[in-house]
Every structure is written in C-alpha cells, then in structure tokens.
Amino acid sequence: MDPLKPSLFKYFPLFFLTIYSASMIFLGLGDNVLQVDEGNDTFITTNLLKFGFPRHSDGINYTMLWANVHDGLFVYRPWIPYYIQAFSLSLFGQTTFAARLPFALCGVLSVIFLYRFALKFTGRQFIAFLAAFLLASSIPALIYFRTARYVGLPILLSVLLLSFYIDIYKNKKWNPLPLTVVSIIFFHTMYVEFAGMIAGVLIHFFIHHKETLPENRQRAAWAAGITAIFCIPWLIFISPIFSKVAQHLASWSTLIDLSWQGYFKRFAGFLFQVNNYIFPFILLPLLFLKQLKPFAKQVNLLLICILTVLLSALPHAMPIQQYISASFPLFFLLLAIFIANIFPKHLLMQSLLAALLITSNLIHICIFFPLKSVAKNHTDWFQRSPYLENIYGSLIREIKIKSVYFDYIYEISHDYQGPLDEIVTFFKTNGTSGETCYIDNEPESLVYYTGMKVIHRDDIKAQDAPDWIVLRGDYRETVKENSSSKIARNLREILSKSPYSKIELNVPLMRVNNTYDIQIHLFRSPSSTNTDKVTIYRLDKHSSKNKLPESIL
C-alpha cells in the first residue's frame, strides 16, 4: 500500500477548502471601486500612513468629524484593522486590490482555521469539512471578506478564540498566551463582538470550571487580568465617543428606536436575518435528537456564545448583520453537526441537504410563507407606523425563493459597474488632483482615487464655487427647486451665480455604488435604461478646448 495515500486523504479536505475559498473570495476582488464605508475606513488608513496614527483629516479632506473627541485623533473604531490595511497599501500601493487584500486573506484563513478547530472540537473530519465548506459558501460572509473593512475579521478571531479556549479542558498544563493575545487583538478589532464572545466563554467556563485542572484555572485568571490591562484603558480613553455615536445614529432615521423596546425590535431583526441567510431555525428541534448526545458539550458552548454575541449587538441602533458576524462560524459548525446526525451513515442525503441549504433559501424561509400571505392580505395592519411599514417591506422583499449563491457566482464572474465606478473613471480622465468637488455621497472614495478636495453634502455653502458638482443621491432633484432645505437652496444659488456646464453620465441615479448588506446587495450592474442619470456640473473657468459634451454615453 502506498504510504502517501493516507497522508493525501488526510490533507485533501484542507487543500480543497483553501482553493475553493480563495476562488470565491479573490475572483474579481479589485474590479469595482471602494464603496460606502470602505471609502471612509480606507481614507483613515491613508491618514495613518501619513501621520503614523489614524486621524479624521489629512489637512485637506476629512471624514466623520461628528466623532472627533480627541483633537482629530480617530477613535470611533479600534485601530488594528487600519494598521493591517496600511501594511498592505505600503507594500502594493494605493489600489482597490491592495485595500481589500488583507481582509480577503483573513477570509481564507477563517475557513482553514474553522476546519482545524472543528476537527479538534468534534473529532469528526466530515463535520469539520462541512462546517468550513458552509462558511466558504456563505454569501454574507464572503461579501464581508471582500470588503475593505473590519467586518469579516471577527469571523476569524472568534474561531481562534474558541480554539485556544477549549485547550484548557485538556488534562495537562494549559498555555494561556495564545488566548490572551487573540483576546487583545479581537478587542482592538471590534470590541463589541469581542465582548459577546468573551462573555459566552466566561459563562461556559463558570459552568464547567471544575472540569479543568486547578493550575489551569489560575492561569485563566492571569489571562483575564492581562487582557483587561490591555483593553480597559482604551474604553476609558474613547468613552466620550459613546454619547456622540448614539446621537449620530438616531439622526439617521425615524425607524431607530433607542428606548428599551428597541432592544426587542433589534433582537427580532437579527434573528430574522440569521434565519434567512445563516441558520434556518426550523432545524432547532433537532437539538433533541438522541444522535446529538455525544456532542452535548460542543453544542452547549456554541449556543452560549451565539446567544451572547446576539445580545451584545443589541446596543447598536440598527440590527445590521455585520455586528454579529462573529457568530457565523459557530452557526455553521452547529449546522454541520446537525446535518451529520440527521442522516447518519447516509452521505448522499447529507450532501443533498447541505447543497440545498447552500444554493437555495427554501428551507430557511418556508416557515415565513404563511406570515407573508397574511401580511399581503392585511396591508392596513402595517400602515399604523413607519416601523410596521418597514417590517412589511422586509417581509415582501425577503420572503421569496432565491439563490444568493448563484447570484454571487454571477457577480464575481462578471465585472460589476455601479455609478461610482463611472464617476471615478470620469474624474480620472477629466479631473485634476487638488480641484474642489461637491459630491453628495461616498466622497472619501473619490478622494482615494483622484486626490481631489471634496465638499461634503452638509458643508456646502452658498458662497462656494467648487470646480465640480456631482448630484447622484438624496439631493439630485434640488436644482429643480422642489426642495426647501438649506442644502438645496445653497446648491441652486451656486449654480445660478456661477457659469456651470451640465454633463450627464450614462449611469443610473443611485445613492451608493453597492452595499455589503446582503439584504440589499446588488449582484448585477445596475441598468441605466429608463432611469434618471447622474448629473455633473463643471465650472466654466476651463479653456474651450477642454469643453466636455453635455452627455457622455
């Protein structure tokens, strides 16, 4: 017998998962420009490269000044993701691919380490492979890994945290250093999700601490103390930001409820999203299967940490799925345990169920079909408040059979182009670094690619005369004098007192290029047919030989 065969069989699952996840994450990674919050965070990173620390302003442009509580030092979010991205930009230059590269690499590592953790945790290679494959096929997770922000990092860190934690239950000396280091890094990456994960770990440890050696319990206490030393001072330092965050988020929408009732609304919102895209709750009765008894301890730890992550996310003003991404690998490991035990010794049935869960949402949403039918027949119930109207819209939008998996395959195999992609291309050709440009949405991305000086939406004044004005979002129609807002009046006065040429790009009028929120993410380039177009105004101080046509097709 060939001695290499057992070794090849042992490592083939990990090899396959690495190739598969890398393909799903890296294909087309740099095809479209940084969008929405990617631009904000990458702008902070470029300031870090310039000054050595994250700052709100580079001396010309700025971002998120509402969160400035320490003389321009940026403390709204922890700094580790910015230093990781800065390292990539310093090596590969200021490109889209370089901005997203470190987070994509962490995505591949998340799949690899989930496989290794699940194998150690359950002792079953099939469960480990299936859990990692579910993560590598999860479209919400893949979108996060392809985003130039911290949003995918908690997935990796939660896996590492639990992997080092469970070693404390071995009947030998436990090394607390790996858990301590990961805890500190996790905190300084996303402290809210870290709080959820570490709370779950502490609750589990309190329940099962007698199963550990006395000396290991002492080491755990030392690990907790050292972690606190490296984390608590940061919370004290940034404490002035907390009230500002609540005020800022509350100003976004009337749907945001900061009362005690809002906690229940957000919890329901998180559960709705988890059910639709991560873990179908119709499978929860399987917890009582006899076949799951050998995995009772594993399921116990997973459920505790999932619950604490969900609860820790409730102080956020909106139930956005990125705030619970740390729970994704735990849900997928739990799901893999279920699948492996529903049809024991029936690999074909297990594979078919896994394939159905990955490629379709039928099992996820089937429990909501009766609710959607009732909602459509009683629309008057949902007209009583904006909140209920939003619930109705979510039910109608989300409760339908679809395959985000195949939609995603289409997206990464085609060149997605949104309005911001066209705007950036236009200014790379026709704009000049240092020129002033008013743009009503995603200004930091324009700064990243063009070096222009942008005027933010809320900062435009009647006496301004920017070289360029881009109208593509909420204030697109202000020039038609149908808005009485201060911003609208200022824009109309600017356009009336100074000579501007009007240019229309053949791209649809959209406030954002795309979003990493799976519920409203676009998988295909938006069509410009039969829709309003992005309008650009150019100040006529330029020579006639550079004059642009009124419409660029």
Side-chain angles (χ1 to χ4, degrees), residues 470-487:
V470 181
L471 298 180
R472 55 177 289 234
D474 301 335
Y475 290 89
R476 164 67 174 80
E477 297 298 322
T478 58
V479 296
K480 295 184 179 180
E481 302 187 9
N482 62 351
S483 173
S484 60
S485 73
K486 183 178 180 181
I487 295 173

Side-chain angles (χ1 to χ4, degrees), residues 192-403:
V192 177
E193 289 188 79
F194 167 73
M197 281 297 301
I198 205 65
V201 166
L202 290 173
I203 291 171
H204 182 270
F205 183 71
F206 178 78
I207 296 172
H208 298 279
H209 69 277
K210 291 185 179 179
E211 300 174 23
T212 64
L213 298 176
E215 55 266 33
N216 286 346
R217 292 198 289 271
Q218 293 178 351
R219 294 187 182 95
W222 276 102
I226 294 172
T227 301
I229 290 172
F230 280 90
C231 297
I232 292 177
W234 177 259
L235 285 179
I236 297 172
F237 180 66
I238 68 170
S239 58
I241 196 69
F242 297 141
S243 60
K244 287 183 174 288
V245 171
Q247 294 171 6
H248 177 71
L249 294 178
S251 67
W252 277 11
S253 171
T254 57
L255 297 176
I256 293 177
D257 186 353
L258 297 179
S259 69
W260 64 269
Q261 295 173 324
Y263 287 87
F264 293 98
K265 294 177 182 178
R266 292 190 286 277
F267 189 67
F270 282 127
L271 293 181
F272 183 69
Q273 294 175 74
V274 167
N275 176 81
N276 293 351
Y277 294 100
I278 305 297
F279 183 96
F281 291 136
I282 195 172
L283 298 181
L284 280 179
L286 298 177
L287 284 169
F288 302 100
L289 281 176
K290 290 182 179 180
Q291 298 95 305
L292 288 183
K293 284 187 177 180
F295 299 96
K297 290 184 178 180
Q298 291 89 337
V299 170
N300 176 257
L301 175 60
L302 295 175
L303 289 177
I304 290 174
C305 290
I306 285 171
L307 181 60
T308 53
V309 168
L310 290 173
L311 293 177
S312 71
L314 297 184
H316 288 289
M318 294 177 290
I320 302 176
Q321 201 173 50
Q322 71 186 60
Y323 299 141
I324 58 170
S325 65
S327 68
F328 287 6
L330 315 188
F331 274 118
F332 291 130
L333 180 51
L334 184 63
L335 188 56
I337 293 173
F338 281 11
I339 294 173
N341 288 279
I342 294 175
F343 305 109
K345 301 180 181 180
H346 292 84
L347 181 60
L348 178 61
M349 296 299 295
Q350 294 169 344
S351 302
L352 289 174
L353 177 56
L356 183 61
L357 288 167
I358 289 171
T359 61
S360 169
N361 68 338
L362 178 61
I363 297 176
H364 295 76
I365 66 168
C366 62
I367 59 176
F368 286 117
F369 280 127
L371 179 58
K372 181 178 180 179
S373 179
V374 170
K376 293 178 72 173
N377 292 330
H378 298 84
T379 56
D380 54 305
W381 293 356
F382 297 90
Q383 304 301 317
R384 300 175 183 177
S385 71
Y387 175 72
L388 292 175
E389 289 178 358
N390 186 61
I391 290 178
Y392 178 80
S394 297
L395 288 173
I396 300 302
R397 183 189 67 238
E398 294 297 314
I399 308 306
K400 60 182 179 182
I401 297 176
K402 59 185 177 181
S403 174

Side-chain angles (χ1 to χ4, degrees), residues 352-533:
L352 289 174
L353 177 56
L356 183 61
L357 288 167
I358 289 171
T359 61
S360 169
N361 68 338
L362 178 61
I363 297 176
H364 295 76
I365 66 168
C366 62
I367 59 176
F368 286 117
F369 280 127
L371 179 58
K372 181 178 180 179
S373 179
V374 170
K376 293 178 72 173
N377 292 330
H378 298 84
T379 56
D380 54 305
W381 293 356
F382 297 90
Q383 304 301 317
R384 300 175 183 177
S385 71
Y387 175 72
L388 292 175
E389 289 178 358
N390 186 61
I391 290 178
Y392 178 80
S394 297
L395 288 173
I396 300 302
R397 183 189 67 238
E398 294 297 314
I399 308 306
K400 60 182 179 182
I401 297 176
K402 59 185 177 181
S403 174
V404 294
Y405 181 82
F406 290 120
D407 286 338
Y408 178 82
I409 296 297
Y410 179 90
E411 180 186 2
I412 63 174
S413 59
H414 293 75
D415 187 12
Y416 178 92
Q417 290 292 294
L420 185 61
D421 291 286
E422 296 296 334
I423 292 170
V424 168
T425 298
F426 172 86
F427 280 111
K428 281 185 175 180
T429 302
N430 301 290
T432 303
S433 177
E435 285 187 315
T436 55
C437 178
Y438 167 86
I439 183 169
D440 47 15
N441 289 94
E442 301 176 302
E444 293 87 356
S445 294
L446 189 62
V447 172
Y448 183 74
Y449 293 104
T450 67
M452 303 178 81
K453 179 181 179 180
V454 298
I455 301 176
H456 291 244
R457 182 180 58 210
D458 296 331
D459 296 330
I460 190 72
K461 299 179 177 59
Q463 61 268 29
D464 291 332
D467 298 300
W468 302 90
I469 296 175
V470 181
L471 298 180
R472 55 177 289 234
D474 301 335
Y475 290 89
R476 164 67 174 80
E477 297 298 322
T478 58
V479 296
K480 295 184 179 180
E481 302 187 9
N482 62 351
S483 173
S484 60
S485 73
K486 183 178 180 181
I487 295 173
R489 294 196 307 269
N490 289 342
L491 285 170
R492 288 198 294 268
E493 185 171 343
I494 291 169
L495 291 172
S496 64
K497 74 179 183 181
S498 301
Y500 280 90
S501 299
K502 181 180 178 181
I503 304 158
E504 191 174 81
L505 296 186
N506 190 31
V507 289
L509 182 66
M510 291 170 54
R511 187 175 64 86
V512 296
N513 204 55
N514 207 342
T515 174
Y516 50 82
D517 184 342
I518 185 63
Q519 297 182 100
I520 53 177
H521 180 82
L522 299 179
F523 296 98
R524 287 169 169 77
S525 300
S527 173
S528 59
T529 305
N530 300 322
T531 184
D532 289 336
K533 309 294 194 298

